[in-house]
Amino acid sequence: MTEAAAPSSFNAVEGPSFPVAIKVLATLAVGTVLVAAWSARAELAAIRPGPELLMLAGLAGAVVLWHFASILMSRTGISNDALWQGWLWRTSVPLRDIAQVKLLRIQRLDGFVAPRLVVRTRALGSVTFHAADPAVLAVIDVLVHGQADASAT
């Protein structure tokens, strides 16, 4: 981990939190589950599950769909004042409250694995942000290393 370096003034940037490949894989996974459930609907109806099992299945389905929507619509941004991520509800950390940062990234796999920025704050503990946009990653490089990584842009 490195101590957070206060970046110089820059324009706010925002972009998708997850790369296109992750969005495609998530869509294929959710689609496969839906097709499997649809094709097994007669067998599932014959089981006659109790209300507890139906509630559990409904909640599990809601969690899966919520995270799927989060992967598709989540955006990460950074400005002179704060770092944020989210789509319906945003997680935000003021830059002045950042104590340490750690960038977990393998640049050759940026298209398949979303780089993660683990931010340790003075008051909130640790918060993890995903970033897939090259412009956002360039500003994060400034935050983490104090200079932009020429190969990231």
Side-chain angles (χ1 to χ4, degrees):
M1 278 194 201
T2 61
E3 292 296 321
S8 59
S9 184
F10 56 90
N11 292 329
V13 292
E14 184 175 356
S17 298
F18 296 94
V20 174
I22 295 295
K23 293 177 181 183
V24 169
L25 286 173
T27 302
L28 288 173
V30 169
T32 301
V33 169
L34 291 174
V35 167
W38 181 259
S39 64
R41 68 188 181 281
E43 292 87 355
L44 292 172
I47 294 173
R48 298 197 190 250
E52 297 87 6
L53 188 57
L54 287 175
M55 184 179 292
L56 179 64
L59 288 173
V63 168
V64 168
L65 291 177
W66 175 264
H67 286 287
F68 174 61
S70 178
I71 288 171
L72 294 182
M73 294 185 270
S74 184
R75 298 186 61 77
T76 302
I78 187 168
S79 67
N80 285 324
D81 301 324
L83 178 64
W84 67 89
Q85 179 178 339
W87 62 285
L88 190 55
W89 292 288
R90 287 194 167 194
T91 300
S92 180
V93 174
L95 293 183
R96 68 181 176 280
D97 291 345
I98 296 176
Q100 291 179 320
V101 294
K102 181 177 13 176
L103 181 61
L104 306 174
R105 178 183 190 192
I106 302 172
Q107 284 186 324
R108 292 183 180 157
L109 298 178
D110 277 357
F112 302 102
V113 178
R116 291 164 180 82
L117 181 68
V118 179
V119 175
R120 186 173 307 265
T121 64
R122 289 174 177 61
L124 299 174
S126 292
V127 182
T128 301
F129 295 92
H130 295 88
D133 187 79
V136 174
L137 286 169
V139 175
I140 287 173
D141 274 335
V142 172
L143 179 68
V144 173
H145 303 294
Q147 62 185 2
D149 184 359
S151 65
T153 56

